[in-house]
Amino acid sequence: MKKIVFILMVAQISCKQNSQAHPPVGGVLSQNDLSVSRERMKNLNTLERNQIQQWIGGQTEKFYPTKLNYWVNIEDYDKREKRQDNSLISYQYDLYDFDQIKIYEQSIERKEVKFGHFDELKAVEDALRYIRDGEVVTLLVPSSLAYGTYGDEKKIDNDVPLIIKLKAL
């Protein structure tokens, strides 16, 4: 019994030492906190862009940068005619890490979604504006346009760039 009490006390003390202070929900961050956060995201984005460009250099397939800061395997992709708000689209996509390991067994699929009225990863939503029916495109996406600093709270950790294979159905 004494061992259990001792283990619980050690665990409680160690948890208290590693806890981080977070502003309350709805709390206000100082200008310094905002500057630190902005600088962190800028540095992370630069690092991820360099890593993605190095990865592209080792591939046989070509990838092209887009205006929104992700890459796609079709040249001049974001110069195509853009789908308008309120138009419908059905699509699916698979997520991979940069070791090309599929993250989820099942594809993420949406049917008859109306542009301007759905919430999707920023890069996916942007790429869907330019995709043609039946087309499959590969996106290389920095974490800021994927699941960002929080991850998806399931299998994707924070600050993870992704490969997204997107298909218009």
Side-chain angles (χ1 to χ4, degrees):
M1 183 69 169
K2 289 181 181 180
K3 285 184 180 180
I4 293 173
V5 171
F6 177 74
I7 291 170
L8 289 174
M9 287 176 44
V10 169
Q12 185 177 14
I13 290 170
S14 66
C15 288
K16 285 183 180 179
Q17 290 175 347
N18 293 330
S19 64
Q20 291 180 319
H22 297 283
V25 173
V28 178
L29 295 174
S30 70
Q31 285 294 34
N32 184 51
D33 291 338
L34 291 172
S35 294
V36 167
S37 178
R38 222 179 349 264
E39 190 64 27
R40 177 192 176 279
M41 286 308 297
K42 181 179 166 187
N43 291 338
L44 179 62
N45 189 41
T46 300
L47 175 69
E48 287 180 359
R49 286 184 63 79
N50 290 337
Q51 289 172 336
I52 291 171
Q53 287 173 333
Q54 279 184 326
W55 185 87
I56 290 170
Q59 304 303 306
T60 56
E61 184 175 23
K62 288 193 171 210
F63 288 88
Y64 306 92
T66 65
K67 295 174 197 166
L68 191 62
N69 194 25
Y70 64 91
W71 288 260
V72 66
N73 62 336
I74 298 172
E75 192 170 10
D76 294 329
Y77 186 73
D78 58 356
K79 293 179 181 155
R80 293 176 170 183
E81 186 176 338
K82 194 174 183 180
R83 292 179 192 249
Q84 298 302 308
D85 279 348
N86 295 316
S87 60
L88 296 176
I89 189 166
S90 296
Y91 60 95
Q92 70 181 35
Y93 60 92
D94 292 301
L95 303 171
Y96 298 82
D97 62 21
F98 273 82
D99 291 326
Q100 297 186 24
I101 296 172
K102 192 172 182 179
I103 297 171
Y104 288 105
E105 200 60 38
Q106 291 287 90
S107 297
I108 297 165
E109 187 171 318
R110 310 276 190 259
K111 299 258 187 201
E112 298 296 313
V113 182
K114 193 181 285 190
F115 276 104
H117 300 280
F118 66 99
D119 187 30
E120 192 57 81
L121 298 176
K122 290 176 189 175
V124 170
E125 187 170 352
D126 185 68
L128 286 169
R129 294 277 183 179
Y130 304 101
I131 199 167
R132 295 180 180 139
D133 292 340
E135 187 172 45
V136 178
V137 296
T138 301
L139 314 175
L140 309 178
V141 182
S143 63
S144 62
L145 296 174
Y147 290 96
T149 57
Y150 296 104
D152 73 346
E153 299 179 358
K154 295 174 190 161
K155 288 188 171 187
I156 301 172
D157 207 0
N158 61 316
D159 301 328
V160 174
L162 296 172
I163 298 172
I164 302 174
K165 295 195 180 194
L166 176 64
K167 180 179 183 178
L169 302 175

